[in-house]
Amino acid sequence: DTGVSQDPRHKITKRGQNVTFRCDPISEHNRLYWYRQTLGQGPEFLTYFQNEAQLEKSRLLSDRFSAERPKGSFSTLEIQRTEQGDSAMYLCASSRGQGNSPLHFGNGTRLTVT
Amino acid sequence: QKEVEQDPGPLSVPEGAIVSLNCTYSNSAFQYFMWYRQYSRKGPELLMYTYSSGNKEDGRFTAQVDKSSKYISLFIRDSQPSDSATYLCAISPGGSQGNLIFGKGTKLSVKP
């Protein structure tokens, strides 16, 4: 169990640019989740995958955001035309997807939009 | 009313103190209750996971759920400076458990 891995750890970008983050879940976990956390707040759910299928999306996930998990392993989260309000920590988590298995989080990607 | 309310603190206690952290929630349909610990610049780490009302103990940590009052608590006994972190309660409506709802987190500082 090597844990959930996220890359990059930090990303600074200018407003209007596109950014992409990667998440590698724990290998035997078939569920993968994306959350966003801003300073002083708890994580907010964005979306989750069961294998390669995206099963749930939050209303927070605007059309500038897209997530994929093409082979049911790693996932990418892309933000197009970034805005300053997108600055946050983007957290990935995974779980076994059996019953209500607990979520295991990575250390996140911190995005700063200037 | 927010679905999950948690006092953000900060909370400062001396080493060895008993710490009590609390959350309230609004929806009686919520079924699963978790506590996560988050150190600065790290992701949340699962501490406790409970389903039913009552207490669950793990070492120095005790999680308590009162479904009738919609109130959950985390107690830390013999607190240590290494316990200094932000503690997040998280609640799941059940089913898929995809949509965990987190409190704001309480920032705890344990002074040596």
Side-chain angles (χ1 to χ4, degrees):
Chain A
D1 181 351
T2 57
V4 177
S5 177
Q6 292 190 246
D7 184 68
R9 288 297 313 277
H10 305 277
K11 179 72 178 178
I12 300 173
T13 191
K14 292 185 177 179
R15 189 175 53 187
Q17 298 295 304
N18 298 345
V19 293
T20 300
F21 312 138
R22 177 180 169 121
C23 172
D24 288 89
I26 293 170
S27 58
E28 63 267 27
H29 287 184
N30 57 8
R31 286 194 178 176
L32 186 148
Y33 309 79
W34 285 100
Y35 282 77
R36 180 173 70 187
Q37 186 176 26
T38 54
L39 199 62
Q41 302 295 319
E44 295 175 296
F45 172 77
L46 293 178
T47 188
Y48 97 95
F49 293 82
Q50 172 94 20
N51 300 312
E52 65 275 9
Q54 189 173 18
L55 296 187
E56 192 174 342
K57 291 198 290 187
S58 162
R59 57 181 171 77
L60 293 176
L61 209 66
S62 77
D63 56 5
R64 296 185 298 105
F65 287 69
S66 62
E68 294 183 342
R69 194 183 183 198
K71 296 182 180 178
S73 56
F74 73 92
S75 175
T76 57
L77 178 68
E78 181 183 17
I79 309 175
Q80 296 182 326
R81 305 181 303 281
T82 52
E83 301 173 356
Q84 286 188 319
D86 297 332
S87 295
M89 173 82 88
Y90 289 84
L91 291 162
C92 178
S94 69
S95 76
R96 290 185 186 276
Q98 295 168 355
N100 285 282
S101 299
L103 276 63
H104 298 266
F105 283 86
N107 284 325
T109 293
R110 182 171 297 281
L111 173 67
T112 302
V113 182
T114 62
Chain B
Q1 181 187 9
K2 287 201 165 189
E3 290 186 287
V4 180
E5 300 271 8
Q6 182 176 11
D7 185 341
L11 181 63
S12 182
V13 301
E15 183 175 354
I18 296 174
V19 176
S20 172
L21 303 165
N22 311 292
C23 287
T24 58
Y25 61 95
S26 58
N27 190 336
S28 56
F30 291 158
Q31 295 186 28
Y32 300 91
F33 308 93
M34 285 141 274
W35 285 95
Y36 283 84
R37 177 174 62 194
Q38 187 172 26
Y39 291 113
S40 182
R41 298 188 188 89
K42 298 287 189 180
E45 169 194 9
L46 180 69
L47 277 179
M48 302 288 283
Y49 173 71
T50 57
Y51 168 68
S52 58
S53 281
N55 293 354
K56 181 176 181 179
E57 192 173 316
D58 184 0
R60 296 185 294 111
F61 298 91
T62 300
Q64 191 174 78
V65 175
D66 182 346
K67 287 188 175 182
S68 62
S69 302
K70 291 181 275 191
Y71 193 84
I72 63 172
S73 301
L74 178 70
F75 299 97
I76 307 174
R77 290 185 300 281
D78 187 25
S79 56
Q80 303 294 309
S82 58
D83 295 328
S84 298
T86 296
Y87 289 81
L88 297 152
C89 62
I91 297 176
S92 169
S96 70
Q97 206 203 19
N99 192 12
L100 278 187
I101 304 167
F102 282 86
K104 281 189 173 184
T106 300
K107 188 168 184 178
L108 171 67
S109 178
V110 181
K111 304 293 188 185

